[in-house]
Amino acid sequence: MKIKSFSTAIGLALLSSVTYLPGIARANPKPSIQVAQQRIFGSEIDSFTAYPVQRLDPGTEIFFVLRGTPYSRATLTIPNAVQNLPMREVRPGVYEASYTIRQGDRISENTAVRANLQQGNRISSARLQQPLVAGNSDRPFQSLSVDRFSAQSVQQLDPGTTLNFKLLGTPNATATFSIEGVAYNIPMREESNGLYTGEYTIRSQDYFPPAGATVTASLQSGNQVIRSRLDRELVAGDNGSSNTAEIPLEILTPSENARVSGTVEVEGRSAPNATVNVKVQATSSVAGLFGFERNILERTVKADEEGKFSFAFKPSISLPGTRYDVNLSASRGDRTSEETLVLFQN
């Protein structure tokens, strides 16, 4: 009887515990669900666009922009050309990529270009809702060009240092510059016809890689965009072969892209007693049929005690629209600097 009573008591205890378990589950069912929800991140595409081009020929570069959930993985696919091309996140939630058309690619203005945005196990997809080729316009097409994108080199990339950039290109456009990993799409001002300037002051949290930062300028007008890499290092002598720095070199008059006639007088400023080498080259065209180049002036001038210098040139043949490239190179000891001025004949 004692054995039977003991087994009965054990059975009742087990039964009561089994009966109680669902109550525990009902009382606190949320923690496991909440943990699962925290591991799922949304990934959404707000927009997917492209800068239309004039023609889809080999060598043409197409730029794409995707906006969506930041800190995700973005790719694009162009059928019969490229699959899962990575897009770089240039700033939170903005992804960019470019593709240069190759021989053998079969791309038309209605090719269904698609982009994917992935975060964790969630993937969003979008199709380009615009033609790749720019539509016809009533005004004639004017292609963009960047003649030069430069910066004034500095001694160190320390916090508080201001980096000054200059872009010479097509006038009446929108210009920006980006320093990879530091700042993106910083606006540039059009100081004169086709001359854009911009600056960036280094912050304490900015990081510039030892190999040098990639600096790119963008020039945009309507649906057209063109980009150019910086033509020199930000730090003077940053190639490891020299510790020398640049000296000041500034053209005071005339202004960039100015219209000139007759004798052209150029005034500038550099380091005191610096030597300035001058070379002026003219590029002309006759009736738009052919063009020719010729050297107008090659000489060396000396800056005075205040660093000021001047020279003049007068073309032997003056044709309206002639372009003059004034190339200056200043030096004093082992320090040098270069500058270019572009002028046009009235």
Side-chain angles (χ1 to χ4, degrees), residues 41-258:
F41 299 94
S43 178
E44 297 182 357
I45 296 176
D46 297 327
S47 65
F48 177 45
T49 58
Y51 292 105
V53 296
Q54 292 303 303
R55 56 189 64 85
L56 296 171
D57 296 337
T60 299
E61 188 173 19
I62 312 174
F63 290 94
F64 300 90
V65 179
L66 183 147
R67 289 176 170 84
T69 304
Y71 315 118
S72 303
R73 178 177 178 267
T75 60
L76 68 87
T77 295
I78 307 174
N80 303 314
V82 65
Q83 186 172 6
N84 295 326
L85 177 69
M87 303 186 72
R88 186 167 59 91
E89 189 170 15
V90 297
R91 61 180 185 272
V94 180
Y95 305 82
E96 293 184 354
S98 65
Y99 180 75
T100 302
I101 300 176
R102 302 168 300 182
Q103 292 284 353
D105 289 344
R106 291 178 293 157
I107 303 176
S108 70
E109 59 179 309
N110 296 317
T111 294
V113 182
R114 302 195 68 89
N116 289 334
L117 190 65
Q118 180 176 0
Q119 190 177 88
N121 295 324
R122 299 286 297 274
I123 300 177
S124 295
S125 181
R127 175 176 171 174
L128 191 65
Q129 298 297 318
Q130 64 180 91
L132 292 173
V133 178
N136 295 326
S137 174
D138 294 335
R139 58 192 180 100
F141 171 74
Q142 181 184 19
S143 61
L144 291 175
S145 66
V146 174
D147 296 326
R148 187 180 183 190
F149 176 47
S150 60
Q152 184 175 355
S153 299
V154 296
Q155 294 284 351
Q156 299 286 341
L157 295 174
D158 294 333
T161 300
T162 298
L163 305 174
N164 294 286
F165 300 94
K166 180 189 294 185
L167 184 148
L168 178 61
T170 304
N172 303 318
T174 300
T176 61
F177 69 89
S178 297
I179 307 172
E180 186 175 10
V182 177
Y184 296 95
N185 299 322
I186 306 298
M188 303 182 75
R189 301 177 299 276
E190 188 170 11
E191 302 289 351
S192 59
N193 195 32
L195 173 63
Y196 304 83
T197 61
E199 60 275 335
Y200 178 78
T201 301
I202 300 175
R203 304 167 299 176
S204 57
Q205 65 267 34
D206 291 339
Y207 171 74
F208 290 83
T214 299
V215 185
T216 306
S218 296
L219 194 63
Q220 181 176 353
S221 178
N223 291 325
Q224 307 172 57
V225 65
I226 188 172
R227 303 187 183 192
S228 177
R229 290 275 295 271
L230 189 65
D231 65 354
R232 67 179 67 177
E233 297 293 340
L234 289 173
V235 178
D238 204 28
N239 56 8
S241 60
S242 174
N243 292 321
T244 61
E246 292 186 340
I247 61 175
L249 179 57
E250 181 183 9
I251 299 173
L252 301 177
T253 60
S255 60
E256 190 77 41
N257 286 343

Side-chain angles (χ1 to χ4, degrees), residues 83 340 344:
Q83 186 172 6
T340 300
F344 292 94

